[in-house]
Amino acid sequence: MNVNIHNFNTLDFDSIAIQPEWNLPEKRENRMHSIHAYPAKFPAFITTKAIEKASQNGITVNNIADIFCGCGTVAFESVCAGRNFWGYDINPVATLIASTKSCSYDDCRIEAYYKSILEAFEVCQIDEQNSVYKNERINYWFSKTQIDLLLRLRTAIYTSVDNQKYLNFFLCAFSNILKPCSKWLTKSIKPQVDPNKAPKSPLEAFAFQINMMRKANKEIEGIRGVAHINTANFLEQQFDEPFIDLVVTSPPYVTSYEYADLHQLSTLWLGYTDDFKTFREGTIGSLFHSEDFQLNQDKLNKTGSEIVSSLAKVDRRKAKSVAQYYVDMQLAISKVAKMLNQNGACLFVIGNTEYKGIHINNAQHLVECLISEGFENIEVDRRKISNKILTPYRDANGKFFYTFAIDFLQRQGSRLLKIAEAERCPKRVRSAFWLR
């Protein structure tokens, strides 16, 4: 469905036809995508299809960017396809995973380092003065026995691995065993204690994790591109000259939980912060960096203003959060326009949702952002999505439902744009769109 300045404001995005080609991958994803749990992962095959579509439209793709790179799905697919990659994420846990996934490793070196870690673990002495014992949140999630074992393991990793790339590999493995070794409710996408849970043995969980990651590494046919992963707020980046040929990204969900809360175990144990709440600041749409509500309302485009005004009538706090989200997204799109080459392309993944009976039309807001930045020839498709655990939202009755979406590829002058969006509820699949 072609979308332009004349029809985007009246178009019923939910009635756009589903495009089967965007529903399922043609082959199984590489195991490297599963080395670390992460909420609402980006479908890996979308990146490959985006590159193919861009090439079919005469666009030479050498450099790819993901402005909200998360755990590095786009990064991995890009470097495997022989493209260079630039990724930005404010979450250091995300960039650790992304950096780990974007490299290939010598299995003999992994085995040698792993043996050294086990040997160091056996002789490691517990330091009762270590700050982890004084951290309230660590003591909340872990028993004293588990803290002892995890601290010994973490110390063994740092003392045994002298290469940064391989250190990231083992820290990524350590990060992924933290929830299984804690009281965190298994597969829960919000912080919740399971009083009946028997936490896994750290050493056994680590051994299983390393074995899985080694198998994933052996599946990689070759890393032919270079990944530049930046732990940074994309909204604060400055681009003097365009250098990106293709942007493939999925913004954080509007009305979602704070991502910092979901990754608190890793941020605390890896020493990124003593208080995970500090990472809420700067997150897209977070109330923890929200400006004055009226000031944000004045910055909103027409679609954003109408949605926020409706939300304010039922929940002013939520309206304030959504207003900040839309202001942040408008700034993000303006920066994408600056980093993108004239013959470049874009693809966004985004989802519509609903809150207390108010339809939050993120796809329409994004289209208006793109049009205002000069993007043309926008086409929207919809797709069904696979059954997976996603970040939850509450409906009008306070019950959870799930949304997921794919946004756009576009050409402005010689820029191609496309948008796709998908939603999933517990008992039915609603849609997804693409722009071309």
Side-chain angles (χ1 to χ4, degrees):
M1 168 69 72
N2 185 266
V3 183
N4 54 52
I5 194 170
H6 303 294
N7 68 1
F8 84 93
N9 207 30
T10 57
L11 177 66
D12 180 3
F13 284 78
D14 293 327
S15 68
I16 295 173
I18 292 172
Q19 299 298 316
E21 67 172 318
W22 299 105
N23 289 344
L24 295 170
E26 296 178 358
K27 60 181 181 179
R28 179 181 65 82
E29 289 186 354
N30 190 289
R31 288 180 181 174
M32 191 59 78
H33 288 299
S34 301
I35 64 171
H36 197 293
Y38 202 85
K41 288 183 180 180
F42 191 94
F45 76 97
I46 296 297
T47 303
T48 303
K49 282 188 173 291
I51 295 172
E52 292 173 355
K53 290 290 183 181
S55 299
Q56 290 169 9
N57 282 274
I59 300 170
T60 300
V61 179
N62 295 315
N63 298 333
I64 299 176
D66 184 347
I67 64 173
F68 308 110
C69 75
C71 66
T73 300
V74 179
F76 177 78
E77 293 297 318
S78 297
V79 295
C80 284
R83 274 69 175 187
N84 296 321
F85 175 83
W86 279 261
Y88 304 85
D89 205 290
I90 199 169
N91 182 353
V93 179
T95 53
L96 170 66
I97 304 168
S99 297
T100 303
K101 287 167 66 171
S102 304
C103 298
S104 58
Y105 305 86
D106 182 283
D107 189 64
C108 292
R109 290 192 70 178
I110 294 176
E111 183 176 13
Y113 278 130
Y114 179 57
K115 289 181 178 179
S116 296
I117 290 169
L118 295 183
E119 292 171 358
F121 176 86
E122 292 301 324
V123 299
C124 183
Q125 299 296 313
I126 296 174
D127 178 10
E128 297 285 356
Q129 301 304 310
N130 193 285
S131 61
V132 298
Y133 290 105
K134 301 174 184 178
N135 190 287
E136 179 183 354
R137 299 307 296 171
I138 288 180
N139 282 282
Y140 176 80
W141 290 110
F142 300 90
S143 67
K144 173 63 164 57
T145 299
Q146 294 292 83
I147 294 175
D148 290 345
L149 294 171
L150 287 167
L151 181 57
R152 288 172 61 192
L153 180 56
R154 189 187 71 176
T155 302
I157 293 171
Y158 276 112
T159 57
S160 303
V161 185
D162 56 4
N163 177 282
Q164 187 62 53
K165 182 174 80 168
Y166 287 87
L167 179 60
N168 286 346
F169 180 92
F170 286 101
L171 290 178
C172 184
F174 178 81
S175 174
N176 200 45
I177 71 169
L178 291 172
K179 284 183 180 177
C181 294
S182 73
K183 302 172 187 175
W184 193 293
L185 180 64
T186 302
K187 294 186 177 181
S188 174
I189 35 63
K190 68 174 184 176
Q192 183 175 347
V193 167
D194 181 356
N196 301 314
K197 180 179 177 181
K200 293 185 179 297
S201 160
L203 213 54
E204 291 179 3
F206 191 65
F208 180 86
Q209 177 72 21
I210 294 300
N211 184 55
M212 180 269 285
M213 291 175 68
R214 290 176 68 179
K215 289 181 179 178
N217 178 60
K218 292 175 182 177
E219 276 190 2
I220 301 175
E221 295 180 358
I223 298 291
R224 295 177 289 130
V226 177
H228 308 271
I229 308 295
N230 302 281
T231 305
N233 185 344
F234 179 72
L235 302 183
E236 298 175 352
Q237 303 305 299
Q238 300 297 325
F239 303 103
D240 297 326
E241 298 290 339
F243 65 103
I244 294 297
D245 303 308
L246 175 64
V247 173
V248 182
T249 195
S250 176
Y253 290 125
V254 65
T255 71
S256 70
Y257 288 115
E258 297 284 351
Y259 275 64
D261 295 15
L262 300 178
H263 302 129
Q264 60 181 276
L265 303 188
S266 295
T267 57
L268 294 172
W269 270 103
L270 295 177
Y272 296 136
T273 181
D274 291 327
D275 182 1
F276 72 92
K277 295 178 182 178
T278 59
F279 283 109
R280 292 172 174 173
E281 300 173 8
T283 302
I284 298 294
S286 173
L287 286 175
F288 292 88
H289 81 285
S290 181
E291 296 184 16
D292 178 77
F293 184 34
Q294 185 58 54
L295 182 61
N296 274 342
Q297 282 187 301
D298 294 341
K299 295 178 181 178
L300 294 173
N301 61 22
K302 183 175 182 293
T303 301
S305 180
E306 291 175 351
I307 293 170
V308 169
S309 294
S310 297
L311 276 173
K313 296 175 182 178
V314 297
D315 189 330
R316 188 172 177 82
R317 177 177 171 82
K318 185 60 65 179
K320 183 179 180 181
S321 173
V322 173
Q324 185 64 57
Y325 177 86
Y326 283 153
V327 167
D328 289 343
M329 283 303 301
Q330 288 168 199
L331 177 58
I333 299 305
S334 70
K335 289 185 176 291
V336 166
K338 289 181 174 64
M339 76 187 307
L340 195 65
N341 287 327
Q342 186 63 25
N343 291 323
C346 288
L347 180 150
F348 274 75
V349 176
I350 201 165
N352 287 354
T353 187
E354 187 173 297
Y355 183 80
K356 293 186 176 181
I358 305 299
H359 184 51
I360 302 178
N361 198 333
N362 299 315
Q364 182 175 313
H365 176 263
L366 178 58
V367 170
E368 185 172 351
C369 292
L370 295 167
I371 291 173
S372 70
E373 291 296 333
F375 288 91
E376 301 172 353
N377 303 323
I378 303 171
E379 183 177 316
V380 178
D381 295 339
R382 296 195 301 157
R383 67 180 288 268
K384 293 180 180 179
I385 64 170
S386 58
N387 184 20
K388 59 171 68 176
I389 296 175
L390 298 177
T391 306
Y393 307 87
R394 294 186 182 275
D395 64 15
N397 299 314
K399 296 181 179 179
F400 287 116
F401 69 99
Y402 302 85
T403 79
F404 176 84
I406 297 179
D407 260 54
F408 70 92
L409 273 163
Q410 164 198 351
R411 188 182 298 241
Q412 174 204 22
S414 53
R415 255 154 124 189
L416 172 69
L417 167 69
K418 186 163 186 177
I419 290 185
E421 182 235 85
E423 291 190 8
R424 174 180 176 270
C425 297
K427 294 186 179 179
R428 73 179 189 280
V429 175
R430 290 170 49 173
S431 35
F433 327 115
W434 273 84
L435 297 165
R436 172 165 38 193

